[in-house]
Amino acid sequence: LLTLTGVGEIQIRASQSGNENYHPAEDVLQSFLVSKATQEILFDPPTGLVFGDDPIELVATASSGLAVAFSIDSGPATIDSDILTLTGAGTIVVRASQAGDDNYEPAVDVVEFLEVGKSDQSITFEPPLGVPYGTEVIELEATASSELPVEFELLSGRAALNESSLTVSG
């Protein structure tokens, strides 16, 4: 039983020392070359991603047991080791690689396209209360949970709106 422990040339001697009926046999030498093994990467990409999610640990394994490295080819994300941080909505192209070592050839890279959806947001808007007629200008204030600017539109009523300044006319 021969257990291979690495790449390189293997030389084996076969011998038989004989017994009371047989002379020793002439030794036979055989050699062969052990080449690097191939490997593959199994990458389990995350799904259901939404901008604003907490950083995500990426999981991939190489059949060799060697560590898999990740990189971002494109898209709204950063990566630190195996931790993916989403920086926006859109398509992220993630690459999983394993460069090989003394005993394994490099694995074929695995490229995955991760879709990141837009986050939901809400607006906090408290209407002005008890505004008496004759008030010249009321500054409207509203905030979006996303911290994006909020726009106002006058739908009805006796007033004029200029951006966030409401002028009551009746």
Side-chain angles (χ1 to χ4, degrees), residues 47-142:
T47 58
L49 301 175
V50 176
F51 174 67
D53 285 350
D54 290 335
I56 303 140
E57 181 181 11
L58 297 178
V59 178
T61 56
S63 59
S64 62
L66 298 171
V68 175
F70 296 99
S71 60
I72 302 294
D73 286 356
S74 64
T78 60
I79 194 150
D80 182 12
S81 183
D82 61 350
I83 303 299
L84 179 71
T85 301
L86 307 176
T87 60
T91 302
I92 302 169
V93 181
V94 178
R95 180 176 301 271
S97 306
Q98 208 313 302
D101 67 3
D102 292 342
N103 294 316
Y104 287 92
E105 294 287 349
V108 174
D109 288 356
V110 174
V111 176
E112 292 287 347
F113 295 81
L114 310 180
E115 294 300 325
V116 179
K118 291 182 178 183
S119 289
D120 292 331
Q121 64 174 327
S122 61
I123 295 175
T124 302
F125 178 36
E126 296 294 328
L129 297 176
V131 178
Y133 176 70
T135 303
E136 291 196 14
V137 177
I138 301 167
E139 283 300 322
L140 302 176
E141 294 181 19

